Amino acid sequence: KPDTLRNYEIGAKGSLGQRVSFDAALYYIDWEDVQQTTGVPIPGGGPGRFTVAPLNGDSASGVGVDLGLSVRPIDALDVSLSVSWNDLTMDEPVFSFGGLLYDKGDRLNQSPEYTASGSAEYSFALGSSGYQANLRASATYTSEMLTSAVFGGATVLEPGDSMLISRLRFAIEAPD
């Protein structure tokens, strides 16, 4: 059945002149009939598994914090950082066909506890022709995420790797 999500949040956004802006939020999530996926073995004992989706749990809840900061030290340079943390977990155990799929307190599938990102962007004129150059570097970090799978009748929470994705971009913008 469909899920229902209630999110209670208190936060602030502000700036210190034209060069610094910030935001902060503290939130609580109350999620009813939360839908989750579970991996099950391929029939016949083949390698790998396939995903069964969605399965409803009674509810999940948790608190979280989001923080962000943007700074413009000079007119041509923008730097930003953000970080997030959450403690979103199952409120009750979830059973299917008599087997425990998720225990009370388990994190939701594919739900990272931490994320962080940062970027720096520098723009400059290319001569007097009106062309602008833009150089941007960014990185995003995501902490490990759990994935549930059923093996031999028991549910196993498999940790995935944390991820760090970085990008570098150079662009030229024509005057028109």
Side-chain angles (χ1 to χ4, degrees):
K1 60 186 176 179
D3 58 344
T4 304
L5 179 68
R6 289 184 183 87
N7 187 20
Y8 305 94
E9 182 175 334
I10 185 168
K13 292 183 178 187
S15 62
L16 304 171
Q18 299 287 325
R19 300 279 184 193
V20 178
S21 63
F22 59 89
D23 61 88
L26 173 65
Y27 60 88
Y28 175 77
I29 294 175
D30 182 13
W31 197 350
E32 299 295 322
D33 299 317
V34 60
Q35 296 180 357
Q36 291 288 276
T37 59
T38 298
V40 295
I42 294 174
R49 63 178 185 262
F50 63 93
T51 301
V52 176
L55 304 167
N56 282 105
D58 285 337
S59 64
S61 60
V63 297
V65 176
D66 293 333
L67 302 170
L69 177 67
S70 294
V71 178
R72 185 169 224 179
I74 59 175
D75 286 339
L77 179 62
D78 291 307
V79 178
S80 37
L81 300 168
S82 67
V83 64
S84 297
W85 167 83
N86 76 72
D87 187 31
L88 186 58
T89 59
M90 300 298 283
D91 292 332
E92 301 295 330
V94 177
F95 295 93
S96 180
F97 297 103
L100 178 67
L101 294 180
Y102 302 96
D103 205 353
K104 179 179 179 176
D106 285 348
R107 283 195 69 78
L108 274 65
N109 265 350
Q110 304 300 312
S111 169
E113 184 175 3
Y114 297 99
T115 59
S117 64
S119 67
E121 187 168 336
Y122 183 66
S123 299
F124 55 94
L126 287 176
S128 60
S129 63
Y131 283 85
Q132 281 286 117
N134 179 278
L135 180 61
R136 178 180 174 86
S138 63
T140 302
Y141 169 79
T142 304
S143 65
E144 73 177 24
M145 295 181 279
L146 299 175
T147 301
S148 70
V150 177
F151 291 105
T155 300
V156 177
L157 293 175
E158 299 176 321
D161 293 331
S162 59
M163 294 183 288
L164 179 62
I165 300 171
S166 58
R167 298 174 191 89
L168 183 61
R169 178 187 78 199
F170 179 74
I172 299 174
E173 183 177 319
D176 296 332

